[in-house]
Amino acid sequence: MAKTRGQDAFRPIGSVSLVLLQLLSGAIPGNGQKADFEVFGPREPVLAKVGEDADLLCYLYPNINAEDMELRWYRDQPSPAVHVHRKGKDVPEEQMALYQGRTTFLKEGVAQGQASVRIGNVTAFDNGTFHCQFNNGTMSAEATLWLTVAGLGSEPRIQVQVDQDGVVRAECTSAGWYPEPQVEWRDFRGQMFHSETNVSVSPITGLWAVTSSLTVPNKAVGGMACSISSPLLTEKKVSRHHLPDPASRWFQSTAWKIVLPLFLAAAILGATVACFLWKRERA
Ligand SMILES: *[C@@H]1O[C@H](CO)[C@@H](O)[C@H](O)[C@H]1NC(C)=O
Ligand SMILES: *[C@@H]1O[C@H](CO)[C@@H](O)[C@H](O)[C@H]1NC(C)=O
Ligand SMILES: *[C@@H]1O[C@H](CO)[C@@H](O)[C@H](O)[C@H]1NC(C)=O
Ligand SMILES: *[C@@H]1O[C@H](CO)[C@@H](O)[C@H](O)[C@H]1NC(C)=O
């Protein structure tokens, strides 16, 4: 226990002296010191939208030629990999099924120790940790990088029912989100409603679907907006539903559905009779 703590305490000092050594060896060229290499990836997670491409860039320090190395991008275990590029050639046999046909090796800069793998048509299953490993045959170094996937879902669909007492029941549905989205209902003055939201994940796409329901006892509400947002995206999806005011609600009631056909029938009958009378007059 004490030993571990001691090692932890010394680690920062160790890495500082390592950096100093590297700086010194870099500053004095041709001093004959063994030139080890390190691999780095992006410091921040790479953000990609569902369906778009994501480039996972890694580079060597110092920036020595990587053309004759084996470059391997992988997820949890080195094999099968996301993409393997060995001495200038892709090795598709070593790819996991999820990445077959979806990756491109970008070799610009490989002579300067830099390379990327482009993942096409990003899905929810690509979200998470990646590693890239550079191996020159005797030595290997690697870096860890993160891909954060964001999915903007479909336009929310609002369905509304108003019962005889004027109680409004609305339901809002949308799918295709990643990660889990937030749902909010507001009236047209911006006042928030309390609602109940259920979420589910599609086993096929890994994307989230939401169903949110709302019950408003107040007859005077002019309408509602259902707004869905992702914690990773600034863009939101909003749908609005206008409720007819109570006076015009009669037009949507069942009474109107009976009266309208009767009215039309009477009108047709009236026209037919008028036409018949007019013809008889002329004859
Ligand atoms: C691999 O890199 C190490 C460190 O730079 C070096 O000592 C070694 O000779 C290299 N091996 C080959 C086969 O180039
Ligand atoms: C992207 O992936 C989705 C889901 O797997 C698939 O339906 C779609 O056809 C793919 N698109 C392309 C261009 O490969
Ligand atoms: C997606 O990956 C990031 C790392 O890139 C991780 O922090 C996050 O928890 C993952 N999201 C989900 C929903 O698993
Ligand atoms: C949410 O799930 C519960 C339990 O399955 C169900 O009773 C409720 O009606 C659902 N609500 C919505 C808005 O789908």
Side-chain angles (χ1 to χ4, degrees):
M1 212 33 200
K3 216 174 196 175
T4 317
R5 216 176 284 142
Q7 275 173 354
D8 280 344
F10 281 113
R11 197 168 290 152
I13 301 167
S15 54
V16 165
S17 53
L18 187 73
V19 168
L20 277 176
L21 254 174
Q22 280 174 347
L23 285 176
L24 278 175
S25 63
I28 310 159
N31 63 353
Q33 224 171 2
K34 186 175 157 232
D36 276 355
F37 58 77
E38 283 183 272
V39 177
F40 293 93
R43 210 178 275 272
E44 299 292 323
V46 176
L47 185 67
K49 278 196 193 174
V50 171
E52 292 184 351
D53 294 347
D55 288 358
L56 305 180
L57 171 82
C58 292
Y59 60 92
L60 283 170
Y61 180 85
N63 57 347
I64 50 178
N65 194 334
E67 277 169 326
D68 289 329
M69 293 191 185
E70 179 193 278
L71 313 181
R72 178 183 292 270
W73 276 252
Y74 66 91
R75 301 291 304 261
D76 305 326
Q77 59 205 31
S79 188
V82 171
H83 192 100
V84 179
H85 191 84
R86 189 178 294 139
K87 296 185 177 177
K89 288 197 183 75
D90 290 333
V91 191
E93 306 83 67
E94 294 189 31
Q95 269 187 311
M96 49 200 283
L98 183 61
Y99 293 102
Q100 269 159 21
R102 285 176 60 213
T103 55
T104 313
F105 182 78
L106 306 176
K107 61 173 180 287
E108 294 96 292
V110 73
Q112 289 79 46
Q114 171 183 310
S116 302
V117 163
R118 175 167 294 166
I119 298 174
N121 196 11
V122 163
T123 75
F125 302 117
D126 297 325
N127 189 79
T129 308
F130 287 75
H131 306 272
C132 56
Q133 185 185 64
F134 286 42
N135 188 333
N136 77 345
T138 53
M139 197 206 143
S140 127
E142 61 181 66
T144 299
L145 53 162
W146 298 270
L147 181 61
T148 297
V149 176
L152 186 66
S154 59
E155 216 63 54
R157 207 170 100 88
I158 301 180
Q159 282 176 301
V160 176
Q161 280 182 319
V162 184
D163 69 16
Q164 296 102 312
D165 306 327
V167 176
V168 178
R169 283 177 226 282
E171 194 171 82
C172 177
T173 52
S174 173
W177 294 90
Y178 195 87
E180 186 179 342
Q182 294 295 312
V183 184
E184 243 177 45
W185 288 92
R186 288 180 191 273
D187 67 16
F188 291 162
R189 287 167 304 181
Q191 205 71 37
M192 209 148 98
F193 289 120
H194 283 290
S195 58
E196 186 194 305
T197 301
N198 286 355
V199 295
S200 63
V201 178
S202 157
I204 297 156
T205 61
L207 302 174
W208 296 81
V210 291
T211 302
S212 182
S213 67
L214 175 75
T215 304
V216 188
N218 181 4
K219 298 174 204 189
V221 61
M224 64 262 303
C226 170
S227 158
I228 310 181
S229 59
S230 159
L232 297 174
L233 302 168
T234 48
E235 195 181 337
K236 287 182 179 186
K237 289 283 184 178
V238 185
S239 288
R240 291 161 168 275
H241 185 93
H242 287 265
L243 287 172
D245 61 62
S248 67
R249 220 170 260 165
W250 182 81
F251 288 97
Q252 293 189 325
S253 70
T254 40
W256 179 245
K257 286 183 191 130
I258 296 164
V259 170
L260 181 67
L262 283 179
F263 177 82
L264 281 177
I268 290 165
L269 188 68
T272 314
V273 167
C275 188
F276 176 74
L277 288 176
W278 179 73
K279 270 193 179 156
R280 227 175 60 162
E281 196 118 308
R282 262 177 50 148

